PDB file of all heavy atoms in Angstrom:
ATOM      1  N   ALA H 121      20.781  26.017 -22.978  1.00  0.00           N
ATOM      2  CA  ALA H 121      20.569  24.872 -23.839  1.00  0.00           C
ATOM      3  C   ALA H 121      21.933  24.154 -23.941  1.00  0.00           C
ATOM      4  O   ALA H 121      23.005  24.742 -24.001  1.00  0.00           O
ATOM      5  CB  ALA H 121      20.055  25.317 -25.176  1.00  0.00           C
ATOM      6  N   ASP H 122      21.716  22.840 -23.775  1.00  0.00           N
ATOM      7  CA  ASP H 122      23.129  22.115 -23.865  1.00  0.00           C
ATOM      8  C   ASP H 122      23.198  21.527 -25.291  1.00  0.00           C
ATOM      9  O   ASP H 122      22.394  21.877 -26.189  1.00  0.00           O
ATOM     10  CB  ASP H 122      23.181  21.067 -22.854  1.00  0.00           C
ATOM     11  CG  ASP H 122      22.004  19.860 -22.987  1.00  0.00           C
ATOM     12  OD1 ASP H 122      21.393  19.885 -24.170  1.00  0.00           O
ATOM     13  OD2 ASP H 122      21.906  19.070 -22.080  1.00  0.00           O
ATOM     14  N   ALA H 123      24.263  20.822 -25.581  1.00  0.00           N
ATOM     15  CA  ALA H 123      24.452  20.268 -26.908  1.00  0.00           C
ATOM     16  C   ALA H 123      23.420  19.402 -27.533  1.00  0.00           C
ATOM     17  O   ALA H 123      23.206  19.276 -28.746  1.00  0.00           O
ATOM     18  CB  ALA H 123      25.846  19.540 -27.039  1.00  0.00           C
ATOM     19  N   ASP H 124      22.661  18.798 -26.559  1.00  0.00           N
ATOM     20  CA  ASP H 124      21.528  17.833 -26.995  1.00  0.00           C
ATOM     21  C   ASP H 124      20.219  18.691 -27.110  1.00  0.00           C
ATOM     22  O   ASP H 124      19.222  18.029 -27.346  1.00  0.00           O
ATOM     23  CB  ASP H 124      21.415  16.709 -25.953  1.00  0.00           C
ATOM     24  CG  ASP H 124      22.574  15.892 -25.969  1.00  0.00           C
ATOM     25  OD1 ASP H 124      23.145  15.625 -27.048  1.00  0.00           O
ATOM     26  OD2 ASP H 124      22.996  15.576 -24.829  1.00  0.00           O
ATOM     27  N   GLY H 125      20.284  19.986 -26.969  1.00  0.00           N
ATOM     28  CA  GLY H 125      18.965  20.733 -27.067  1.00  0.00           C
ATOM     29  C   GLY H 125      18.146  20.683 -25.774  1.00  0.00           C
ATOM     30  O   GLY H 125      17.083  21.331 -25.775  1.00  0.00           O
ATOM     31  N   ARG H 126      18.603  20.149 -24.723  1.00  0.00           N
ATOM     32  CA  ARG H 126      17.877  20.230 -23.426  1.00  0.00           C
ATOM     33  C   ARG H 126      18.160  21.474 -22.853  1.00  0.00           C
ATOM     34  O   ARG H 126      19.189  22.140 -23.020  1.00  0.00           O
ATOM     35  CB  ARG H 126      18.394  18.916 -22.558  1.00  0.00           C
ATOM     36  CG  ARG H 126      18.007  17.649 -23.226  1.00  0.00           C
ATOM     37  CD  ARG H 126      18.669  16.438 -22.388  1.00  0.00           C
ATOM     38  NE  ARG H 126      20.160  16.659 -22.306  1.00  0.00           N
ATOM     39  CZ  ARG H 126      20.938  15.890 -21.692  1.00  0.00           C
ATOM     40  NH1 ARG H 126      20.389  14.754 -20.989  1.00  0.00           N
ATOM     41  NH2 ARG H 126      22.200  16.077 -21.600  1.00  0.00           N
ATOM     42  N   VAL H 127      17.322  21.857 -21.737  1.00  0.00           N
ATOM     43  CA  VAL H 127      17.510  23.070 -21.019  1.00  0.00           C
ATOM     44  C   VAL H 127      18.080  22.704 -19.582  1.00  0.00           C
ATOM     45  O   VAL H 127      17.632  21.857 -19.020  1.00  0.00           O
ATOM     46  CB  VAL H 127      16.219  23.867 -20.961  1.00  0.00           C
ATOM     47  CG1 VAL H 127      15.929  24.493 -22.252  1.00  0.00           C
ATOM     48  CG2 VAL H 127      15.071  23.022 -20.426  1.00  0.00           C
ATOM     49  N   ARG H 128      19.035  23.535 -19.223  1.00  0.00           N
ATOM     50  CA  ARG H 128      19.697  23.392 -17.889  1.00  0.00           C
ATOM     51  C   ARG H 128      19.420  24.584 -17.074  1.00  0.00           C
ATOM     52  O   ARG H 128      19.391  25.671 -17.553  1.00  0.00           O
ATOM     53  CB  ARG H 128      21.156  23.137 -18.041  1.00  0.00           C
ATOM     54  CG  ARG H 128      21.589  21.787 -18.666  1.00  0.00           C
ATOM     55  CD  ARG H 128      22.967  21.666 -18.717  1.00  0.00           C
ATOM     56  NE  ARG H 128      23.464  20.414 -19.372  1.00  0.00           N
ATOM     57  CZ  ARG H 128      23.550  19.235 -18.608  1.00  0.00           C
ATOM     58  NH1 ARG H 128      23.600  19.296 -17.242  1.00  0.00           N
ATOM     59  NH2 ARG H 128      23.903  18.122 -19.202  1.00  0.00           N
ATOM     60  N   LEU H 129      19.277  24.398 -15.638  1.00  0.00           N
ATOM     61  CA  LEU H 129      19.229  25.627 -14.840  1.00  0.00           C
ATOM     62  C   LEU H 129      20.590  26.148 -14.522  1.00  0.00           C
ATOM     63  O   LEU H 129      21.445  25.338 -14.261  1.00  0.00           O
ATOM     64  CB  LEU H 129      18.423  25.178 -13.628  1.00  0.00           C
ATOM     65  CG  LEU H 129      16.812  25.070 -13.530  1.00  0.00           C
ATOM     66  CD1 LEU H 129      16.471  24.707 -12.164  1.00  0.00           C
ATOM     67  CD2 LEU H 129      16.299  26.480 -13.942  1.00  0.00           C
ATOM     68  N   ASP H 130      20.668  27.434 -14.638  1.00  0.00           N
ATOM     69  CA  ASP H 130      22.058  27.919 -14.199  1.00  0.00           C
ATOM     70  C   ASP H 130      22.172  27.772 -12.647  1.00  0.00           C
ATOM     71  O   ASP H 130      21.242  28.019 -11.926  1.00  0.00           O
ATOM     72  CB  ASP H 130      21.907  29.516 -14.452  1.00  0.00           C
ATOM     73  CG  ASP H 130      23.119  30.188 -13.859  1.00  0.00           C
ATOM     74  OD1 ASP H 130      24.152  30.188 -14.481  1.00  0.00           O
ATOM     75  OD2 ASP H 130      23.074  30.747 -12.743  1.00  0.00           O
ATOM     76  N   PRO H 131      23.192  27.197 -12.167  1.00  0.00           N
ATOM     77  CA  PRO H 131      23.372  26.781 -10.796  1.00  0.00           C
ATOM     78  C   PRO H 131      23.166  28.013  -9.846  1.00  0.00           C
ATOM     79  O   PRO H 131      22.484  27.907  -8.839  1.00  0.00           O
ATOM     80  CB  PRO H 131      24.782  26.331 -10.682  1.00  0.00           C
ATOM     81  CG  PRO H 131      25.069  25.802 -12.100  1.00  0.00           C
ATOM     82  CD  PRO H 131      24.423  26.819 -12.942  1.00  0.00           C
ATOM     83  N   GLU H 132      23.709  29.115 -10.238  1.00  0.00           N
ATOM     84  CA  GLU H 132      23.611  30.324  -9.225  1.00  0.00           C
ATOM     85  C   GLU H 132      22.072  30.772  -9.280  1.00  0.00           C
ATOM     86  O   GLU H 132      21.587  31.202  -8.261  1.00  0.00           O
ATOM     87  CB  GLU H 132      24.550  31.385  -9.621  1.00  0.00           C
ATOM     88  CG  GLU H 132      25.994  31.006  -9.173  1.00  0.00           C
ATOM     89  CD  GLU H 132      26.018  30.481  -7.709  1.00  0.00           C
ATOM     90  OE1 GLU H 132      25.584  31.103  -6.769  1.00  0.00           O
ATOM     91  OE2 GLU H 132      26.620  29.429  -7.549  1.00  0.00           O
ATOM     92  N   ALA H 133      21.481  30.744 -10.388  1.00  0.00           N
ATOM     93  CA  ALA H 133      20.107  31.183 -10.490  1.00  0.00           C
ATOM     94  C   ALA H 133      19.190  30.202  -9.806  1.00  0.00           C
ATOM     95  O   ALA H 133      18.223  30.601  -9.001  1.00  0.00           O
ATOM     96  CB  ALA H 133      19.671  31.234 -11.951  1.00  0.00           C
ATOM     97  N   ALA H 134      19.558  28.862  -9.750  1.00  0.00           N
ATOM     98  CA  ALA H 134      18.808  27.896  -8.976  1.00  0.00           C
ATOM     99  C   ALA H 134      18.955  28.175  -7.540  1.00  0.00           C
ATOM    100  O   ALA H 134      17.925  28.109  -6.751  1.00  0.00           O
ATOM    101  CB  ALA H 134      19.388  26.403  -9.454  1.00  0.00           C
ATOM    102  N   ARG H 135      20.186  28.455  -7.134  1.00  0.00           N
ATOM    103  CA  ARG H 135      20.443  28.783  -5.710  1.00  0.00           C
ATOM    104  C   ARG H 135      19.516  29.874  -5.176  1.00  0.00           C
ATOM    105  O   ARG H 135      18.916  29.767  -4.095  1.00  0.00           O
ATOM    106  CB  ARG H 135      21.828  29.061  -5.413  1.00  0.00           C
ATOM    107  CG  ARG H 135      22.233  29.148  -4.050  1.00  0.00           C
ATOM    108  CD  ARG H 135      23.758  29.597  -3.821  1.00  0.00           C
ATOM    109  NE  ARG H 135      24.669  28.459  -4.388  1.00  0.00           N
ATOM    110  CZ  ARG H 135      25.027  27.381  -3.728  1.00  0.00           C
ATOM    111  NH1 ARG H 135      24.630  27.206  -2.473  1.00  0.00           N
ATOM    112  NH2 ARG H 135      25.806  26.549  -4.281  1.00  0.00           N
ATOM    113  N   ALA H 136      19.548  30.957  -5.928  1.00  0.00           N
ATOM    114  CA  ALA H 136      18.826  32.136  -5.513  1.00  0.00           C
ATOM    115  C   ALA H 136      17.189  31.875  -5.792  1.00  0.00           C
ATOM    116  O   ALA H 136      16.458  32.370  -4.916  1.00  0.00           O
ATOM    117  CB  ALA H 136      19.280  33.264  -6.424  1.00  0.00           C
TER     118      ALA H 136
END
Side-chain angles (χ1 to χ4, degrees):
D122 65 15
D124 297 319
R126 301 170 300 179
V127 289
R128 294 179 178 271
L129 279 180
D130 174 81
E132 290 311 308
R135 185 181 300 272

